[in-house]
Amino acid sequence: MVIFLCKYLYIYKENITFAKNIISIMNRHLTIELLDEGDKVNTYSPKFDNEHYNEFEKFFLKYSGNPEYKDDIDQILYRIEKIQEDGAADRHFRYESTKHDRIKAIPSHIETTKLRVYCIIINDEIVILGNGGLKTTKTYNVDPVLNEYVEDLKSIDYQIYQLQKQNKITTNGKELKGNLRFYIKDNK
């Protein structure tokens, strides 16, 4: 009987380890990194494990060297500077997702650009800048690349919101505090 129980427990332990490994493969681990401290707003960006750059850096590196997008990049950087100086007021953003999340896009409706950067507005003092790209469709969800960026941000927003409810992530003025390393389900 003891040998049977030992074999059963060993098999059970191996199955648990296998299940944890499968779940880990289906999740994407990330850290929310501080990008810049502004007068009124701090900007952050998610950086996925095994990636060299955070999501905003990847966007910037992809488009900043292309002369065709110079004006768009300049406009987006200008808007981010204004947000850091003035606060994360609605006038600085485009509504992009649903009323149930905090996803917006830069630049605002005032500027006309071909590029969009998607972000999470935690509050008037904290903005998480994500990735973005060339907007060629009426809505982001028609474009598979832009949709993936927004879906990742929705998942990040959901996780942050849940962790805020548990007081595991808190805000103190412009600072996002707590365990800023967590995972989201892989949307791919």
Side-chain angles (χ1 to χ4, degrees):
M1 180 73 156
V2 172
I3 293 173
F4 173 75
L5 283 176
C6 288
K7 285 182 181 179
Y8 176 77
L9 288 174
Y10 176 77
I11 291 169
Y12 178 76
K13 180 182 171 195
E14 290 299 312
N15 285 339
I16 293 292
T17 302
F18 177 74
K20 284 181 180 177
N21 289 338
I22 293 296
I23 289 170
S24 180
I25 291 169
M26 295 171 17
N27 294 324
R28 296 174 66 203
H29 296 264
L30 64 107
T31 303
I32 303 295
E33 297 183 333
L34 178 65
L35 271 180
D36 195 23
E37 294 183 47
D39 293 338
K40 293 191 177 176
V41 172
N42 283 355
T43 52
Y44 294 80
S45 188
K47 182 178 179 210
F48 289 98
D49 285 7
N50 302 318
E51 301 261 340
H52 190 68
Y53 299 104
N54 65 49
E55 291 301 290
F56 181 72
E57 289 170 334
K58 289 194 285 187
F59 165 81
F60 186 76
L61 290 170
K62 183 175 183 179
Y63 292 101
S64 66
N66 188 332
E68 181 180 353
Y69 302 117
K70 182 188 180 322
D71 291 342
D72 288 14
I73 291 292
D74 290 346
Q75 190 59 53
I76 288 168
L77 293 176
Y78 169 78
R79 184 54 52 193
I80 292 170
E81 280 181 26
K82 291 302 287 177
I83 291 165
Q84 289 182 309
E85 291 170 8
D86 300 343
D90 280 348
R91 70 179 177 276
H92 294 299
F93 304 96
R94 292 175 192 260
Y95 286 90
E96 286 291 330
S97 191
T98 68
K99 293 180 182 179
H100 304 294
D101 58 39
R102 302 177 281 191
I103 309 300
K104 304 253 177 36
I106 300 171
S108 70
H109 287 290
I110 297 168
E111 296 99 7
T112 305
T113 65
K114 296 176 240 167
L115 295 177
R116 299 283 188 279
V117 171
Y118 298 99
C119 56
I120 304 169
I121 312 305
I122 299 296
N123 60 31
D124 289 344
E125 299 175 296
I126 299 171
V127 175
I128 298 175
L129 297 172
N131 209 324
L134 185 61
K135 181 94 183 294
T136 59
T137 58
K138 186 172 179 163
T139 60
Y140 74 83
N141 55 344
V142 176
D143 182 313
V145 174
L146 297 182
N147 188 58
E148 181 180 330
Y149 296 149
V150 173
E151 290 301 318
D152 281 349
L153 284 178
K154 284 180 174 182
S155 296
I156 292 168
D157 182 34
Y158 177 80
Q159 286 289 45
I160 290 173
Y161 180 75
Q162 294 302 315
L163 292 168
Q164 283 180 305
K165 284 184 3 184
Q166 300 168 19
N167 287 322
K168 292 182 178 179
I169 290 181
T170 60
T171 59
N172 183 12
K174 302 182 301 179
E175 291 183 59
L176 196 56
K177 294 185 167 205
N179 185 2
L180 302 180
R181 179 171 165 64
F182 51 89
Y183 67 88
I184 60 171
K185 289 187 181 355
D186 195 349
N187 291 321
K188 296 177 184 178

